[in-house]
Amino acid sequence: YRKDQSPVSFEPHLELDEHSGALSEVVAIDEIILPKNSRYGIRSVVNHIGSSASCGHYTADAFRVMKDDEEDDDDTLVRDKREWLRFNDSYVSKISQAEAVDN
């Protein structure tokens, strides 16, 4: 087995229907019923950094809801605002949406 080193990019929202190519490859469409215009927001991404599937390092990105008492960059209190965070062992850092879904 050889790991594919190609970057993977995707939209921050995923729209599914019976004509979605990737969905029809893994799910028997005649066995499920999808609501019309099913749209899902990406909430987390798992990343593998390494030369093969048997060795390397994992990080995780999460689209987290900020707590009511947290402040955003301009020092204003926020409510129900989300931010992307990268979890890398004991380090947690803010990242952009592009870093989460485009890399």
Side-chain angles (χ1 to χ4, degrees), residues 3 9-11 13 16 23 36 41 47 58-59 63 66 71 91 97 99:
K3 182 178 174 185
S9 296
F10 45 90
E11 296 295 322
H13 290 90
L16 300 177
L23 183 64
K36 294 268 188 217
N47 306 290
Y58 287 92
T59 63
F63 197 42
M66 295 174 69
E71 295 179 351
Y91 300 101
Q97 177 174 289
E99 290 174 288

Side-chain angles (χ1 to χ4, degrees), residues 15 17 27 29 32 39 50 62 64 66 74 92 96-97 102:
E15 294 182 21
D17 61 37
V27 177
I29 297 301
I32 64 167
R39 186 173 187 205
R64 182 185 80 107
M66 295 174 69
D74 64 357
V92 178
S96 69
Q97 177 174 289
D102 289 337

Side-chain angles (χ1 to χ4, degrees), residues 11 14 25 33 35 40 43 46 49-51 59 66-67 72-73 82 87 95:
E11 296 295 322
L14 179 64
E25 292 176 17
I33 299 172
Y40 301 90
R43 296 288 177 94
V46 176
I49 301 117
S51 59
T59 63
M66 295 174 69
K67 296 177 184 165
D72 64 6
D73 292 337
R82 291 184 176 272
F87 296 87
I95 62 170

Side-chain angles (χ1 to χ4, degrees), residues 24-90:
S24 63
E25 292 176 17
V26 296
V27 177
I29 297 301
D30 57 342
E31 299 294 324
I32 64 167
I33 299 172
L34 289 174
K36 294 268 188 217
N37 303 320
S38 298
R39 186 173 187 205
Y40 301 90
I42 302 297
R43 296 288 177 94
S44 62
V45 179
V46 176
N47 306 290
H48 179 261
I49 301 117
S51 59
S52 73
S54 61
C55 68
H57 180 70
Y58 287 92
T59 63
D61 301 335
F63 197 42
R64 182 185 80 107
V65 174
M66 295 174 69
K67 296 177 184 165
D68 287 341
D69 59 346
E70 290 184 356
E71 295 179 351
D72 64 6
D73 292 337
D74 64 357
D75 296 330
T76 58
L77 291 177
V78 296
R79 179 177 222 94
D80 298 329
K81 182 177 178 182
R82 291 184 176 272
E83 64 185 349
W84 279 100
L85 297 176
R86 176 158 292 158
F87 296 87
N88 185 355
D89 291 335
S90 62

